Amino acid sequence: ILWKGGRVDSIDPKDATPDGRLPDADKGSPSANIGHLRKVFGRMGFNDQELVALSGAHTLGKCHYEDSGYEGEWSETPWKFDNSYFNILIQPQAMMDAEAQAWTPKKLPNGRVQYVGECTC
């Protein structure tokens, strides 16, 4: 079987996905966020189960302020593909030593609040 590469990456902004085709980071409430995700991915044929599976890719990498309005890694091991992203969603405290990490709200320049970990070691 002949191998064929997938997506071709580009650094040219004109090659980026047009606004509105990918979900926004925050619509203001959990129910609004869920509705928005269902709308964006529903038009691509995704059901809820497929949407959740796709979101697992967030175990890799990080969010960037200039793109989402938030900054930081999605999981404690952003270079390793595992289920840590889902573990954090289900049991945030299970992914950290409660004595070594404290979560504090930080107001970002755009007015959003992001919880950040601070080592108390």
Side-chain angles (χ1 to χ4, degrees), residues 31-110:
S31 61
N33 292 340
I34 292 166
H36 177 63
L37 289 171
R38 284 180 172 152
K39 178 180 175 186
V40 169
F41 288 102
R43 68 177 175 232
M44 293 183 236
F46 285 81
N47 63 30
D48 284 356
Q49 184 178 14
E50 294 163 331
L51 178 78
V52 170
L54 179 65
S55 73
H58 285 102
T59 199
L60 298 172
K62 61 183 268 182
C63 53
H64 301 273
Y65 185 81
E66 63 274 8
D67 296 326
S68 67
Y70 294 96
E71 181 67 37
E73 289 80 14
W74 293 104
S75 72
E76 291 185 340
T77 54
W79 57 90
K80 180 180 173 187
F81 189 76
D82 59 16
N83 67 347
S84 60
Y85 173 75
F86 291 116
N87 288 337
I88 291 169
L89 294 178
I90 294 169
Q91 293 182 329
Q93 295 301 321
M95 296 303 290
M96 69 184 95
D97 178 350
E99 293 182 29
Q101 186 97 5
W103 294 100
T104 56
K106 175 183 176 184
K107 191 162 188 167
L108 301 174
N110 60 13

